[in-house]
Amino acid sequence: MSSPETFYDVFRQQGISRRSFNKFCSLTAASLGLGPSFAPRIAHAMETKRRTPVIWMNGLECTCCSESFIRSGHPLVSDVVLSMLSLDYSHVLMAAAGHQAEAALEETRTQHAGEYILAVEGNPPLNEDGMFCIVGGRPFLEQLKEMAAGAKAIVAWGSCASNGCVQAAKPNPTQATPIHKVIRDKPIIKVPGCPPIAEVMTGVLTYILTFDRLPPLDRLGRPEMFYGQRIHDKCYRRPHFDAGQFAEEWDDENSRKGYCLYKMGCRGPTTYNACSTVRWNEGVSFPIQSGHGCIGCSEENFWDNGPFYDRLAEVQTPLGVEANADKIGLTAAGVIGAGVAAHAAVSALTRVRNPNSGE
Amino acid sequence: MTSSFESKPRPKGFLSAVVHHATEVQTPAAKIYVYEAPVRIWHWFNALCIVLLVITGYLIGKPLPSVEGEASELFVFGYIRLIHFAAGQILAIALLFRIGWAIIGNHHAHQLFLPPLWSAKWWREVWHEVRWYTFLERTPKKYVGHNPLAQLAMFFLFLLPLLNAVATGFALYAEGAGTDSMWYTLFGWVFTVYGDSMHVHTVHRLTMWVIVCFSLIHIYVAIREDIMSRQSLVSTMISGWRYFKDDRE
Ligand code: HEM
Ligand code: SF4
Ligand code: SF4
């Protein structure tokens, strides 16, 4: 594995032509929101830089990130990016299996210490010493910590690694924990989504590998170029939102007319992701375009902020009674209103009986 | 304004509140100037903003039935949100001004901000007020400023929720303005406190209900006390003068 080859060497070995390589560089520059002048810089980096090993680990997850990744919109992009990865270790894509695979992992860890990028799909469950997720006979937690120690930087794929996702939803019996809460001494870039968009994943990886640094990150550690805006900010149904035109039912006339899905619980206004701009499946569509509200899959706690089809999220109440802010508020206001009425009646009575009390 | 027992008190420093809080009246008085004009104007202006904010805020979470027509010609929901944001920003500026006045105004001006939670005497008086409202006490005490129970309620059920509404409101506003906006720099921390954007919406809405509940009690009690206590209330917040109905202690 210790080859001094550059990325470009690898591409040529894989049969990628110079022309395709140049195309890839301009496509990538565009998808990252960089100017055209960046294409030659990406090309130069790829030609001169030693290939960085990328190790892809899978913890508690559903593999939707891998599935999304290998469906990257432009076939050229996926070819190139796949050849950028060292596939010596990736549960889904590697050729090796069993002890052979674990040995490859160990080799990267020792021979490329401090050099490799660790891409983590899924998260470690901490309960019962991590016994809820065993990889190669050991808790994933151990493997993760060990590999993280030698990594240059870590990519947290998807909502599992970034926020915990469904397995961390209340009551979180396995204590599934996003990786930044387990590994605190390495730069971590979060690429949330369930799954993240393929072009976002390949874009992020290309950026790191070519520029040898993390892209600009936001307050939560997400790449700004893809997570800087909400679905709602670039949603093509937004004019209906501002006009006050909403689908009231899934099958009503308004829904057919393509009105805003806000009243049907759309989480676009609270969700940072690139769906309304990059879209899915080679830019074909995205949930709202297909008539379904956003469920906020790239946001922290999105499973606990349901129901997905109601604008107001459920609130945890002490006795486990199902309620949202309005139910709680109206109940409280009702009780207080009744209390006020009763108190006023008693006050009036007291005053009749004891006219001098206040004076 | 003839028989004033005490002339307009000179503005006192901030610290005087700590020594001199929630003064139970020691000597009988006919009338005392309590709320200076800025406090009164703020009170009614703030009330107006809150009414607008509650109505528009409620509608933001539960929009009216859809309007018909071309989206390009309509801005119904947009205007509802615009009124909300404008009223919210005006309320916030007024609140800043009110905080400033608490520092330079007379010593009743900072009662709202500094309930003397550390004073045992004050808590005894809170207890006395609780007994008065539960009909266990026949005669209420007289207060120049707010009575201690009112002060307690105003601090925890009004001032803190209001500050929370402003913080969460500006945080939500910052999301619309963009993560690279000045607002986000100033209020982005709110999302760290409450976890995520959806929670901030929920907290903002729950806070509205706290303010609504407070307002119900506040209005009822103000009218009731105006009738049943030994001092004026509603007119005091209009004219600034506290009238006492008797001259017993
Ligand atoms: C007494 C004070 C306030 C009350 C009672 C109030 C009430 C509300 C309510 C009930 C909502 C709907 C929340 C939801 O269901 O998602 C809301 C939304 C909002 N409020 Fe306030 N609010 C107050 C102050 C403010 C302030 C000071 C601002 C700052 C500018 C503000 C900005 C916003 C924003 C930006 C939204 C979200 C609008 C949207 O997502 O379309 N609010 N408010
Ligand atoms: S459909 Fe959703 S994201 Fe689009 S405008 Fe409506 S609320 Fe916003
Ligand atoms: S539209 Fe919302 S729920 Fe759907 S993929 Fe995008 S962020 Fe996730």
Side-chain angles (χ1 to χ4, degrees):
Chain A
M1 263 224 43
S2 57
S3 50
E5 56 189 0
T6 66
F7 282 118
Y8 184 66
D9 294 337
V10 180
F11 298 159
R12 294 312 299 259
Q13 274 167 30
Q14 305 267 328
I16 294 168
S17 69
R18 176 79 199 170
R19 193 179 151 80
S20 299
F21 170 72
N22 282 336
K23 250 200 218 163
F24 165 77
C25 293
S26 12
L27 268 173
T28 305
S31 91
L32 290 170
L34 306 168
S37 64
F38 274 84
R41 281 181 57 185
I42 295 178
H44 182 72
M46 293 258 164
E47 282 161 355
T48 51
K49 273 220 177 75
R50 236 182 81 181
R51 172 179 168 206
T52 312
V54 178
I55 291 289
W56 188 305
M57 293 174 76
N58 304 62
L60 213 58
E61 44 89 358
C62 76
T63 312
C64 77
C65 298
S66 294
E67 290 290 345
S68 175
F69 186 76
I70 58 178
R71 276 162 188 73
S72 177
H74 205 284
L76 180 63
V77 175
S78 49
D79 274 1
V80 173
V81 177
L82 278 180
S83 52
M84 278 158 70
L85 303 181
S86 135
L87 292 181
D88 294 327
Y89 194 83
S90 154
H91 288 180
V92 181
L93 303 170
M94 66 192 173
H99 294 300
Q100 214 186 341
E102 299 301 319
L105 187 66
E106 185 57 22
E107 194 185 308
T108 310
R109 189 175 74 84
T110 45
Q111 296 193 359
H112 296 272
E115 282 172 26
Y116 60 90
I117 304 291
L118 186 64
V120 184
E121 178 177 3
N123 59 33
L126 305 187
N127 216 358
E128 307 279 355
D129 298 321
M131 297 304 270
F132 290 100
C133 183
I134 303 289
V135 179
R138 287 196 305 155
F140 173 63
L141 178 64
E142 269 179 30
Q143 196 193 31
L144 173 67
K145 282 185 175 162
E146 206 174 272
M147 289 308 293
K152 185 158 68 175
I154 299 174
V155 182
W157 281 147
S159 292
C160 298
S162 307
N163 312 320
C165 206
V166 59
Q167 61 272 44
K170 289 192 182 92
N172 192 358
T174 66
Q175 230 183 299
T177 307
I179 58 172
H180 65 272
K181 294 199 176 145
V182 178
I183 292 149
R184 297 182 176 280
D185 56 352
K186 294 282 159 167
I188 297 181
I189 175 170
K190 297 181 193 166
V191 188
C194 189
I197 304 171
E199 285 78 358
V200 170
M201 300 176 81
T202 51
V204 166
L205 216 48
T206 311
Y207 190 103
I208 300 175
L209 295 180
T210 48
F211 295 119
D212 216 4
R213 59 180 147 88
L214 299 185
L217 303 181
D218 72 0
R219 197 176 54 85
L220 294 175
R222 304 171 293 197
E224 262 171 9
M225 61 257 235
F226 297 118
Y227 296 87
Q229 279 183 318
R230 300 170 300 173
I231 305 294
H232 187 60
D233 293 318
K234 284 282 160 67
C235 176
Y236 77 105
R237 297 196 187 205
R238 182 63 190 266
H240 292 301
F241 173 87
D242 290 327
Q245 299 179 315
F246 307 100
E248 316 271 347
E249 299 285 343
W250 289 118
D251 54 356
D252 69 358
E253 191 49 33
N254 292 356
S255 163
R256 267 189 287 277
K257 283 183 187 155
Y259 286 0
C260 165
L261 299 167
Y262 183 73
K263 277 192 182 177
M264 305 307 296
C266 178
R267 295 291 190 258
T270 50
T271 305
Y272 288 84
N273 206 340
C275 307
S276 50
T277 44
V278 177
R279 306 193 187 197
W280 286 83
N281 301 321
E282 302 181 43
V284 170
S285 181
F286 74 113
I288 293 166
Q289 196 174 339
S290 311
H292 190 285
C294 165
I295 60 172
C297 77
S298 55
E299 285 296 307
E300 184 118 24
N301 306 318
F302 84 101
W303 278 101
D304 294 324
N305 282 337
F308 292 150
Y309 303 119
D310 197 336
R311 167 68 202 146
L312 302 182
E314 203 178 295
V315 179
Q316 296 277 318
T317 52
L319 294 172
V321 184
E322 266 184 38
N324 61 29
D326 279 8
K327 281 193 196 136
I328 295 173
L330 277 169
T331 310
V335 169
I336 287 169
V340 161
H343 198 272
V346 179
S347 302
L349 269 178
T350 332
R351 205 169 152 75
V352 172
R353 277 211 225 120
N354 177 19
N356 292 329
S357 71
E359 274 140 43
Chain B
M1 311 199 174
T2 40
S3 66
S4 76
F5 166 80
E6 196 183 293
S7 61
K8 230 172 177 172
R10 262 169 287 116
K12 284 184 193 163
F14 192 71
L15 274 178
S16 66
V18 181
V19 202
H20 207 120
H21 51 259
T23 31
E24 188 192 339
V25 182
Q26 300 302 338
T27 29
K31 66 175 192 176
I32 297 177
Y33 190 69
V34 187
Y35 301 125
E36 297 153 294
V39 174
R40 277 141 45 209
I41 293 169
W42 174 77
H43 174 272
W44 295 109
F45 188 74
N46 192 47
L48 176 72
C49 287
I50 289 176
V51 169
L52 284 174
L53 284 163
V54 168
I55 296 171
T56 52
Y58 181 82
L59 292 177
I60 288 172
K62 284 254 171 70
L64 294 165
S66 298
V67 286
E68 281 311 313
E70 274 305 317
S72 54
E73 286 159 10
L74 292 164
F75 198 62
V76 176
F77 203 51
Y79 283 125
I80 290 174
R81 293 172 72 238
L82 184 69
I83 295 170
H84 191 85
F85 304 161
Q89 304 205 0
I90 293 172
L91 177 141
I93 294 168
L95 189 61
L96 280 180
F97 162 82
R98 179 66 181 80
I99 292 170
W101 192 261
I103 297 165
I104 59 171
N106 72 16
H107 89 234
H108 302 292
H110 50 235
Q111 253 201 316
L112 172 60
F113 300 90
L114 289 172
L117 302 173
W118 55 87
S119 154
K121 172 170 178 284
W122 184 82
W123 281 106
R124 272 196 299 280
E125 293 185 19
V126 169
W127 183 236
H128 180 274
E129 285 300 310
V130 170
R131 291 175 55 85
W132 155 243
Y133 285 111
T134 46
F135 309 100
L136 295 172
E137 207 65 61
R138 286 213 150 184
T139 35
K141 291 190 177 179
K142 295 204 286 192
Y143 291 97
V144 177
H146 302 301
N147 81 52
L149 183 60
Q151 204 185 355
L152 190 68
M154 281 175 191
F155 187 75
F156 286 104
L157 293 178
F158 180 68
L159 183 69
L160 296 188
L162 193 66
L163 290 172
N164 190 47
V166 169
T168 50
F170 273 97
L172 296 177
Y173 187 75
E175 292 208 298
T179 45
D180 49 0
S181 65
M182 164 190 97
W183 299 114
Y184 204 85
T185 313
L186 288 174
F187 290 95
W189 57 270
V190 175
F191 296 102
T192 313
V193 173
Y194 290 115
D196 58 86
S197 174
M198 201 61 198
H199 268 100
V200 175
H201 276 269
T202 305
V203 169
H204 194 64
R205 200 166 180 89
L206 280 171
T207 309
M208 168 187 79
W209 286 111
V210 174
I211 292 172
V212 166
C213 288
F214 170 83
S215 306
L216 287 175
I217 302 172
H218 177 70
I219 294 166
Y220 165 66
V221 171
I223 295 171
R224 177 185 191 265
E225 291 301 279
D226 213 44
I227 300 168
M228 298 196 40
S229 79
R230 298 154 67 191
Q231 64 210 36
S232 66
L233 269 100
V234 180
S235 62
T236 310
M237 199 38 95
I238 297 172
S239 70
W241 292 87
R242 177 82 79 213
Y243 293 84
F244 293 97
K245 301 177 190 167
D246 60 49
D247 50 11
R248 287 177 290 120
E249 285 225 349

